[in-house]
Amino acid sequence: MRPNIVLFGDSITQESFRSGGWGASLADTYSRKADVVLRGYGGYNTRWALFLLHHLFPLGSTKPPVATTIFLGANDAALAGRTSERQHVPVEEYKENLRKIVRHLKECSPTMLIVLITPPPIDEEGRMEYARETYGEKAMTLPERTNETTGVYAKGCIELAGELGVRSINLWSKMQETDGWQKKYLRDGLHLTAEGNAVVFEEVVKVFKEAWLDASEMPYDFPHHSEIDGKNPEKAFQQKCL
Amino acid sequence: MRPNIVLFGDSITQESFRSGGWGASLADTYSRKADVVLRGYGGYNTRWALFLLHHLFPLGSTKPPVATTIFLGANDAALAGRTSERQHVPVEEYKENLRKIVRHLKECSPTMLIVLITPPPIDEEGRMEYARETYGEKAMTLPERTNETTGVYAKGCIELAGELGVRSINLWSKMQETDGWQKKYLRDGLHLTAEGNAVVFEEVVKVFKEAWLDASEMPYDFPHHSEIDGKNPEKAFQQKCL
């Protein structure tokens, strides 16, 4: 009955229902109006995400999502030859994979609101600190992700969105507009703090509003309780749902 | 593909995806394993909830929820003859309405895990303070809910659960075991603080585990990223989802 909004991505999506998470905030904002469906896969890059596409978004579904956020690239941008090499995907392939994902979603539903989100920036020092805390002497000595390289993927993502005519959020740039973004928005140099989650939430809501998915303009799925006559409740429900 | 866990209730359910909310915490706990579906209707009592039953839980659905929490009664227990009289439902009717809801859910799916949750206790002084802050001189001078009356509804809910053989959480009693529950768990004498949300979350997870819905024992919907061979990703996906 209610429309679905799907959040498709990696760990930054998977974690988005933790306290203060951007996914939970979206679910709260759209409560009684749309269902926010969590499809986050920690550690996944776009190459692996392709294997899920037909399972998560089957063609011919009678109820495709009205909107989908695609938030991938943080793992694709892991450097070749470093400790997270296994996740690395070259930037040209990253763009091609995103193109396949967008094309598939458009095939599922030509009216679906598709929002590409770039990876957040990388705080290389924060990543190293986290590695030392987690792995001690076995920690990497060279960064497995750099902010510069992730920026190349972010640029590719935004270019592709323009080319395909879908909306996008340049999180990599947006976060770096704020002084101290390294610790303010990132808790381990990569994943988001509550404040970082708030930035994603605000940006997604802004893009949704600019399109046509404004929660404040969407109807409640059933009567608001103030519309129900205590003595004659049937009336409100007859109008709204029978 | 993933099973659904539905949270059906009033405002305390509707608000449960706010920061620190029990619904968001459940969605996080079951991420990649089950979808947590928010069906909270602020201000609703059991009488009004009945109008939604066939819409939210259609008979003959090919995918009924594997579990549903029913968290109603806080509004039924509003006192007759006071400012929230419109929401009042006599306790015997409250029990009958819950019985109808449980019966309907069992008809949807005889294996569904059904959990009845009692309303939380009422901090009458907290309610009055909130009314004065919100309405000033126009605030009610007599409480519209009392802890004692809500306790009668809680008792009715637990009795009914025993009679119907479904699981239950006596939140009214549980919260009052902790000193200072009035301000610790309730933010306006009725709705939950983050700590109050944590109590609901822990109790629901405990009941789910005691049944068979233990997130730690449920499979991921697709391979964990650590199982994917960077050079031969097909293999992991062939095993798990093709």
Side-chain angles (χ1 to χ4, degrees), chain A residues 17-45:
Chain A
F17 279 68
R18 291 191 185 169
S19 187
W22 66 277
S25 298
L26 272 181
D28 184 51
T29 301
Y30 286 87
S31 81
R32 301 200 46 191
K33 296 177 174 182
D35 284 329
V36 175
V37 181
L38 179 57
R39 290 293 179 268
Y41 295 87
Y44 274 52
N45 54 31

Side-chain angles (χ1 to χ4, degrees), chain A residues 44 55 86 221 223 228 241, chain B residues 41 44 55 86 221 223 228 241:
Chain A
Y44 274 52
H55 298 278
R86 201 171 56 88
D221 57 348
I228 304 172
C241 64
Chain B
Y41 296 86
Y44 273 53
H55 298 278
R86 201 171 56 88
D221 57 349
I228 304 171
C241 64

Side-chain angles (χ1 to χ4, degrees), chain A residues 1-2 14-21 23-25 27-28 31-32 35-44 47-49 51-52 55-56 86-87 220-231 233-234 237 241-242, chain B residues 1-2 14-21 23-25 27-28 31-32 35-44 47-49 51-52 55-56 86-87 220-231 233-234 237 241-242:
Chain A
M1 200 158 31
R2 293 194 214 185
Q14 188 179 331
E15 291 180 1
S16 70
F17 279 68
R18 291 191 185 169
S19 187
S25 298
D28 184 51
S31 81
R32 301 200 46 191
D35 284 329
V36 175
V37 181
L38 179 57
R39 290 293 179 268
Y41 295 87
Y44 274 52
R47 192 186 288 163
W48 303 342
F51 287 99
L52 312 184
H55 298 278
L56 301 185
R86 201 171 56 88
Q87 292 163 295
Y220 279 117
D221 57 348
F222 291 107
H224 189 270
H225 78 87
S226 63
E227 295 168 14
I228 304 172
D229 179 349
K231 296 209 169 57
E234 296 81 2
F237 290 97
C241 64
L242 295 179
Chain B
M1 199 157 34
R2 294 194 213 183
Q14 188 180 330
E15 291 180 1
S16 70
F17 279 67
R18 291 190 185 170
S19 188
S25 298
D28 185 51
S31 82
R32 302 200 46 189
D35 285 327
V36 174
V37 181
L38 178 58
R39 291 292 178 267
Y41 296 86
Y44 273 53
R47 191 187 288 163
W48 302 342
F51 286 100
L52 311 184
H55 298 278
L56 301 185
R86 201 171 56 88
Q87 292 163 296
Y220 280 117
D221 57 349
F222 291 106
H224 189 270
H225 77 88
S226 63
E227 296 167 14
I228 304 171
D229 180 347
K231 296 212 170 54
E234 295 81 2
F237 290 97
C241 64
L242 296 180

